C-alpha cells in the first residue's frame, strides 16, 4: 500500500483513462443488447481507495460538469442513445470533494448530479472504510436543470428519455428516508451504485432493495463491485441486480460483466396491489 503514495498525476490519469475506457466498452455492449439506461459502479473511474487514508487519491477528483470522465461518458451516451448514471469522485469549484453520480441523458446532455448524502467511516469484520477522509456529505446545493422534477436538493430526480431517474449511493441505501425521498420527488427508476463488503452488508443487500421497491413503488438497480483489487485484496461480493415492487428481475445478460433486466416503468403507475401507502400513512402516529 505504501507504494501507492508514489503515484504521480500522470499515473492517476492513466488509472482514470483505463477505467473509463473499460466502462465505455461495457456501455457499448449493454446498448448493443438493448439497454436504454445504464448505471456504472460507485467511483468507477478508479479503485476503491477508501480502504486506507492517503491524500494521493485526491488527485482523482474531477469536475462533475465538464471533467474528462463526464465529457467521455456524455459523448458515448449520445453515440449509443442511452441514459447513463456515472458515479465519480467530484472536485467542486470551491475545492471540496464529493462522491457524486452524474446523470446523463440519451442525447449526451448532462442533466445534473447526486452527491452521496450519508458518508460512512468504520470497520467491520473484513476491512476499514475511510470515506470521510476523502469526501464530504452532500451539502444539498441547489441545481439549475430543466430536467429536475423534484424539490428536495439532497435527493434530486431527473426527467430522462426513459423516465424519472434518481440515485441513492451505497451507504444511503441503509437509511429509510433515501428511497422515500426519491419516490416523493417522482422517481420511477433508482440507481444504487455501491462498493460494499462484509457479512451484514451481504445479508442486507438482498433485503433492502426489495422492501424499498415494494414500499415506495419504484424500480431499483443495485450495483456492487465483484472480486478484489490489489493491493488491498478486500473481497467485494458483487450480486448486482434489479428489483421492482413485484420482486427481483431476471438477468437476461449473456455478458459476464453486465446485468440486464427488462423493467416496465408504466407498470409502476398501474399498480394493482391494492396498496395506497401515501394516502393511508399515519405520520401523526409515528415517533
Amino acid at each position: 500500500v505504501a507504494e501507492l503514495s508514489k503515484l504521480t498525476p500522470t499515473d492517476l490519469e492513466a488509472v482514470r483513462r483505463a477505467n473509463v475506457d473499460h466502462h465505455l466498452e461495457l456501455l457499448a455492449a449493454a446498448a448493443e443488447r438493448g439497454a436504454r439506461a445504464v448505471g456504472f459502479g460507485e467511483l468507477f473511474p478508479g479503485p476503491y481507495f477508501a480502504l486506507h487514508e492517503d491524500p494521493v487519491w485526491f488527485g482523482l477528483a474531477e469536475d462533475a460538469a465538464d471533467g474528462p470522465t463526464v465529457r467521455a461518458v456524455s459523448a458515448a451516451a449520445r453515440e449509443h442513445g442511452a441514459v447513463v448514471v456515472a458515479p465519480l469522485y467530484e472536485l467542486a469549484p470551491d475545492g471540496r470533494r464529493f462522491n457524486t453520480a452524474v446523470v446523463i441523458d440519451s442525447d449526451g446532455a448532462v442533466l445534473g448530479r447526486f452527491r452521496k448524502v450519508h458518508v460512512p467511516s468504520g470497520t467491520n469484520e473484513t476491512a476499514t472504510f475511510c470515506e470521510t477522509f476523502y469526501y464530504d456529505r452532500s451539502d444539498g446545493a441547489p441545481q439549475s436543470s430543466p430536467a429536475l422534477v423534484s424539490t428536495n436538493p439532497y435527493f434530486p430526480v431527473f426527467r430522462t428519455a426513459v423516465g424519472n431517474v434518481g440515485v441513492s449511493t451505497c451507504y444511503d441505501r441503509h437509511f429509510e428516508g433515501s428511497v422515500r425521498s426519491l419516490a416523493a420527488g417522482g422517481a420511477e427508476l433508482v440507481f444504487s451504485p455501491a462498493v460494499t463488503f462484509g457479512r451484514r452488508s451481504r445479508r442486507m443487500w438482498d433485503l433492502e432493495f426489495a422492501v424499498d421497491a415494494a414500499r415506495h413503488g419504484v424500480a431499483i438497480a443495485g450495483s456492487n463491485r465483484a472480486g478484489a483489487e490489489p493491493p488491498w485484496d478486500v473481497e467485494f461480493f458483487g450480486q448486482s441486480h434489479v428489483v421492482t415492487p413485484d420482486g427481483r428481475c431476471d438477468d437476461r445478460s449473456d455478458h459476464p460483466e453486465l446485468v440486464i433486466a427488462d423493467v416496465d416503468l408504466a407498470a409502476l403507475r398501474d399498480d394493482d396491489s391494492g396498496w395506497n401507502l401515501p394516502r393511508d400513512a399515519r405520520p401523526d402516529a409515528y415517533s
Side-chain angles (χ1 to χ4, degrees):
V1 173
E3 290 299 310
L4 295 175
S5 295
K6 300 178 181 179
L7 291 171
T8 67
T10 300
D11 295 330
L12 292 172
E13 183 53 41
V15 167
R16 187 203 329 271
R17 185 166 57 250
N19 281 285
V20 171
D21 286 349
H22 177 62
H23 281 77
L24 296 185
E25 292 172 359
L26 293 177
L27 171 59
E32 182 181 342
R33 288 160 173 78
R36 297 183 58 212
V38 176
F40 293 158
E42 182 182 14
L43 298 170
F44 84 92
Y48 181 64
F49 46 77
L51 293 167
H52 71 159
E53 295 184 1
D54 191 335
V56 71
W57 295 109
F58 294 162
L60 268 183
E62 58 183 298
D63 190 287
D66 192 35
T69 297
V70 169
R71 290 196 301 270
V73 176
S74 177
R78 181 170 58 251
E79 176 185 353
H80 299 295
V83 173
V84 181
V85 173
L88 49 78
Y89 190 19
E90 179 189 3
L91 178 62
D94 62 5
R96 288 181 299 164
R97 291 174 293 272
F98 297 95
N99 184 330
T100 297
V102 180
V103 180
I104 300 171
D105 213 350
S106 59
D107 61 357
V110 177
L111 302 182
R113 49 151 171 77
F114 167 80
R115 289 172 170 167
K116 189 172 182 176
V117 174
H118 307 93
V119 177
S121 180
T123 300
N124 64 19
E125 80 284 357
T126 301
T128 295
F129 33 97
C130 311
E131 296 194 15
T132 54
F133 176 80
Y134 290 101
Y135 38 80
D136 294 332
R137 300 184 299 175
S138 173
D139 57 357
Q143 303 178 72
S144 177
S145 170
L148 194 62
V149 298
S150 59
T151 58
N152 184 332
Y154 289 95
F155 289 97
V157 177
F158 301 95
R159 183 185 301 106
T160 75
V162 299
N164 292 345
V165 169
V167 182
S168 172
T169 299
C170 199
Y171 195 48
D172 289 326
R173 74 185 185 278
H174 299 317
F175 295 84
E176 62 86 21
S178 298
V179 175
R180 172 170 54 81
S181 296
L182 289 166
E188 299 168 299
L189 175 59
V190 174
F191 285 91
S192 187
V195 181
T196 189
F197 52 88
R199 181 184 63 252
R200 180 178 295 180
S201 185
R202 176 67 188 90
R203 184 176 71 87
M204 298 304 292
W205 186 257
D206 293 325
L207 302 175
E208 290 171 310
F209 294 143
V211 169
D212 273 339
R215 180 173 286 161
H216 300 296
V218 297
I220 302 176
S223 67
N224 183 32
R225 293 194 188 198
E229 298 170 335
W232 304 281
D233 295 325
V234 172
E235 189 71 22
F236 307 123
F237 55 77
Q239 297 299 314
S240 301
H241 64 280
V242 181
V243 65
T244 72
D246 289 325
R248 191 162 176 156
C249 299
D250 292 335
D251 176 11
R252 65 178 189 83
S253 174
D254 60 356
H255 190 293
E257 295 182 73
L258 294 174
V259 171
I260 298 178
D262 285 322
V263 177
D264 182 3
L265 296 183
L268 301 175
R269 296 185 290 272
D270 298 328
D271 180 23
D272 61 358
S273 67
W275 301 3
N276 190 329
L277 302 187
R279 181 197 65 197
D280 298 332
R282 287 288 309 279
D284 59 306
Y286 308 147
S287 60

